[in-house]
Amino acid sequence: GAVVSQHPSWVICKSGTSVKIECRSLDFQATTMFWYRQFPKQSLMLMATSNEGSKATYEQGVEKDKFLINHASLTLSTLTVTSAHPEDSSFYICSARVREGLSNEQFFGPGTRLTVL
Amino acid sequence: KNEVEQSPQNLTAQEGEFITINCSYSVGISALHWLQQHPGGGIVSLFMLSSGKKKHGRLIATINIQEKHSSLHITASHPRDSAVYICAVGNEMGRDDKIIFGKGTRLHILP
């Protein structure tokens, strides 16, 4: 199956700094990428939907100025957590969707664990 | 009622046992995913299916579209299979196709 990678797999940062997380589709072009967040022992929650070449669509309650999403190419989307605070510590997961004909498959990245001190 | 329900929530079994995890959903779907999440958090996509049955190694996933039900089976279970297994459905909502996640089944295989 198709592969989605995330980098870094984990990051520890100081409060107030910004952290960038990359999501790449390695062997296919993704017209849409999704960013999720997961708090301990909870389900994944959709944060935003990112379409290549256009602005991301954020879910209710997600601050677009805090979680900057850039989808500059069909294989790369980035999530930047700006001025991170301890409450932003979470597991961030991306997924990538490919649309080819009737195919509408979606593939998940392994996730990035962010710890803000 | 959640749109995606998994059962059981927790499952402990002995090594070698045949494991079944169930997933029921109440929305129209484009596809159903089974994901595996290990204690460290990393997610692995196990299956994506929209009909029938798929097999990969000791893992088998089935889906019954009419009954809106899917099962994940693990044959000859092993302690390394211990993880949280998540069922997720792609919701048929025009082109948006958002994923709805179940709460997961925590599986613990004892040696």
Side-chain angles (χ1 to χ4, degrees):
Chain A
V3 177
V4 175
S5 71
Q6 282 185 237
H7 178 80
S9 56
W10 60 269
V11 56
I12 301 173
C13 70
K14 291 184 178 180
S15 185
T17 60
S18 294
V19 175
K20 180 186 283 188
I21 302 170
E22 293 184 349
C23 176
R24 293 183 186 271
S25 56
L26 296 186
D27 51 3
F28 67 99
Q29 293 185 328
T31 51
T32 304
M33 289 184 172
F34 303 87
W35 286 97
Y36 301 88
R37 180 168 54 183
Q38 184 186 37
F39 290 108
K41 301 197 175 181
Q42 308 228 345
S43 293
L44 282 73
M45 298 296 294
L46 180 65
M47 298 175 66
T49 302
S50 165
N51 291 297
E52 186 266 338
S54 64
K55 289 185 178 180
T57 303
Y58 290 81
E59 295 299 298
Q60 194 171 14
V62 178
E63 300 174 56
K64 61 180 69 175
D65 294 330
K66 176 148 186 77
F67 298 99
L68 301 179
I69 292 173
N70 184 285
H71 193 159
S73 77
L74 287 171
T75 59
L76 173 65
S77 176
T78 60
L79 168 69
T80 302
V81 183
T82 62
S83 186
H85 286 91
E87 57 264 30
D88 299 322
S89 298
S90 187
F91 193 61
Y92 293 87
I93 304 112
C94 74
S95 70
R97 183 172 72 193
V98 56
R99 286 190 188 275
E100 289 182 354
L102 295 178
S103 172
N104 187 19
E105 300 189 51
Q106 191 168 148
F107 304 94
F108 289 84
T112 296
R113 182 163 301 284
L114 170 64
T115 302
V116 185
L117 302 177
Chain B
K1 189 178 189 298
N2 293 328
E3 291 168 305
V4 179
E5 294 272 2
Q6 287 185 236
S7 64
Q9 285 186 306
N10 296 282
L11 178 57
T12 300
Q14 289 292 139
E15 181 174 357
E17 285 190 41
F18 181 81
I19 303 299
T20 296
I21 299 171
N22 296 298
C23 176
S24 296
Y25 53 91
S26 57
V27 296
I29 69 167
S30 54
L32 183 142
H33 303 258
W34 281 103
L35 310 172
Q36 180 192 55
Q37 186 170 33
H38 280 283
I43 287 192
V44 176
S45 291
L46 299 176
F47 296 103
M48 184 177 70
L49 64 166
S50 54
S51 65
K53 175 180 174 179
K54 286 189 176 181
K55 185 176 189 292
H56 182 68
R58 294 182 294 106
L59 301 177
I60 303 167
T62 64
I63 187 168
N64 185 316
I65 298 296
Q66 286 73 31
E67 295 185 3
K68 296 189 173 181
H69 180 270
S70 175
S71 293
L72 176 68
H73 304 285
I74 305 175
T75 60
S77 59
H78 190 276
R80 64 175 174 267
D81 298 325
S82 299
V84 176
Y85 292 84
I86 302 168
C87 170
V89 301
N91 191 12
E92 282 182 335
M93 291 177 63
R95 292 180 60 85
D96 287 342
D97 196 35
K98 293 185 178 179
I99 298 281
I100 304 171
F101 294 88
K103 293 186 176 181
T105 294
R106 191 171 298 274
L107 174 65
H108 186 45
I109 303 296
L110 301 171

